[in-house]
Amino acid sequence: MLKASRNFFDQRNVLEVDCPILSPRASVDAHIDLISAHYPGKTPCYMHSSPEYGMKRLMAEGIGDIYQISHVFRDDEISAKHNPEFTMVEWYRLDYDLEEMIDETVQFIRLFVGNLPYSIVNYRDIILEKTGIDYLKASEKELFNYIKRNNIAWYSSILEEGKDALLNLILGSLIEPQLGIDRLCVLAYYPASQAALASKRWHGDECVAERFEVYFQGVELANGYHELTDAKEQRERFEEANIIRVALGKNQLPVDENFLQALEKGLPDCCGVAIGFDRLLMLRQKQSNISEVLPWGWEKA
């Protein structure tokens, strides 16, 4: 499947690259924790959670369409679908709109799961359909009351984390397991407050993040963006993410100035997506635990 993946990109003239895994600079996300590394006499450095920053720096240098198949690392739970080290396939396409990127992502996923149909579902619509709540109009109290009424397990700091945390809990607990049961489901047009590294646009009466995720049999497989190119706004998002990290009792992470300089130089208009290779293998091999498709799972690594 590694060979099939590379053939997929070769046929489309997308160039393979190999950006560094270890860096003194960090990717800053409120909810993704990194694995740090140390060596004598040097400041802490970080194992990357995605090759995204390095790849975008190459895009700003004019390299064109690129992909990377990379081991990535996250200080996260160990479970049937999570391993601290896993394989990610990430690629970027110049002058693609979000819908074109969705279609190509589905074509890649079909290498593993077969020629399944797919449908695009609006984030706001699926929340309304499954819960009866229009999240744009609902208060945090209304969302929290819904969580309690439906016996969703919640944690003590969730109200401090705000509306997005409440929505994520509802989505992850009640809705995600129902997505993509007999076809691929593309969940798109997330709340603007969940844009991360995506651009924003108006969709109907709402400003949304140009972001999508792909699900099959309740498993999240891909996360894609129409990429943000504004360095000033990106810096503000990093600062906000670090504020949230501190509020959650986490450490602040150093902002990657090289990445921001690349945005200032000029990241071309592009879309990008990251896909969990191991999860695709799980579905292909009809396995329920990620350790079954790794040469050595965490317990035997």
Side-chain angles (χ1 to χ4, degrees):
M1 293 314 299
L2 286 167
K3 183 176 181 179
S5 298
R6 288 187 164 95
N7 286 340
F8 178 89
F9 295 112
D10 287 347
Q11 291 166 7
R12 291 162 174 78
N13 296 314
V14 181
L15 180 69
E16 183 171 12
V17 297
D18 185 17
C19 294
I21 284 174
L22 185 67
S23 173
R25 287 159 286 275
S27 56
V28 181
D29 188 291
H31 303 290
I32 295 178
D33 296 321
L34 305 179
I35 295 176
S36 60
H38 300 265
Y39 56 103
K42 301 293 182 181
T43 56
C45 45
Y46 303 89
M47 310 295 286
H48 72 177
S49 63
S50 159
E52 178 168 6
Y53 290 12
M55 294 180 76
K56 285 183 175 177
R57 287 169 61 189
L58 288 175
M59 296 283 286
E61 294 293 332
I63 198 169
D65 295 336
I66 54 175
Y67 80 97
Q68 181 162 333
I69 300 175
S70 178
H71 281 221
V72 298
F73 305 83
R74 297 188 183 185
D75 188 1
D76 200 356
E77 65 180 306
I78 299 170
S79 72
K81 291 187 284 191
H82 297 86
N83 200 67
E85 177 182 2
F86 60 99
T87 301
M88 180 178 286
V89 182
E90 187 155 335
W91 73 94
Y92 292 87
R93 296 289 247 152
L94 292 172
D95 299 321
Y96 266 39
D97 62 29
L98 195 71
E99 290 72 23
E100 287 175 304
M101 199 68 196
I102 287 171
D103 187 69
E104 186 166 82
T105 301
V106 166
Q107 291 178 49
F108 181 83
I109 291 171
R110 284 172 173 163
L111 294 177
F112 295 77
V113 300
N115 194 28
L116 294 170
Y118 76 96
S119 56
I120 300 175
V121 178
N122 184 296
Y123 182 102
R124 186 179 179 186
D125 290 345
I126 197 70
I127 295 285
L128 182 61
E129 175 189 332
K130 300 297 185 182
T131 68
I133 296 172
D134 184 343
Y135 79 82
L136 265 190
K137 300 173 183 177
S139 66
E140 291 180 13
K141 183 179 180 180
E142 288 173 313
L143 292 172
F144 187 54
N145 286 338
Y146 179 87
I147 287 169
K148 290 192 292 185
R149 282 198 312 273
N150 287 273
N151 299 313
I152 300 172
W154 50 279
Y155 48 95
S156 57
S157 64
I158 192 164
L159 284 174
E160 298 170 22
E161 294 182 31
K163 194 170 188 177
D164 283 325
L166 295 164
L167 286 170
N168 286 338
L169 186 58
I170 292 170
L171 183 72
S173 300
L174 291 184
I175 299 174
E176 284 185 353
Q178 304 177 52
L179 298 179
I181 299 305
D182 56 1
R183 60 170 52 212
L184 296 170
C185 176
V186 180
L187 186 60
Y189 313 113
Y190 277 65
S193 55
Q194 297 182 28
L197 276 72
S199 59
K200 302 175 185 177
R201 81 176 191 210
W202 283 95
H203 186 74
D205 63 347
E206 178 188 7
C207 182
V208 299
E210 287 198 272
R211 172 184 168 193
F212 69 90
E213 295 190 356
V214 183
Y215 292 84
F216 182 53
Q217 295 181 359
V219 178
E220 178 200 335
L221 300 173
N223 190 6
Y225 300 146
H226 185 182
E227 302 296 339
L228 176 66
T229 59
D230 186 316
K232 181 174 181 293
E233 183 175 350
Q234 185 63 77
R235 183 180 294 277
E236 290 170 355
R237 292 190 195 179
F238 285 158
E239 291 170 351
E240 182 181 355
N242 262 329
I243 289 170
I244 295 171
R245 290 185 64 84
V246 171
L248 295 176
K250 299 180 178 183
N251 61 314
Q252 284 196 50
L253 293 169
V255 170
D256 189 336
E257 294 294 339
N258 289 344
F259 172 56
L260 291 175
Q261 288 171 15
L263 293 187
E264 289 169 359
K265 181 175 182 177
L267 178 68
D269 184 67
C270 61
C271 281
V273 67
I275 292 184
F277 182 86
D278 310 301
R279 289 189 179 181
L280 287 175
L281 276 182
M282 286 173 63
L283 291 168
R284 177 180 171 83
Q285 301 303 120
K286 297 180 171 54
Q287 297 294 332
S288 59
N289 195 302
I290 193 170
S291 65
E292 296 297 326
V293 298
L294 299 174
W296 307 110
W298 185 246
E299 299 301 324
K300 297 181 179 179

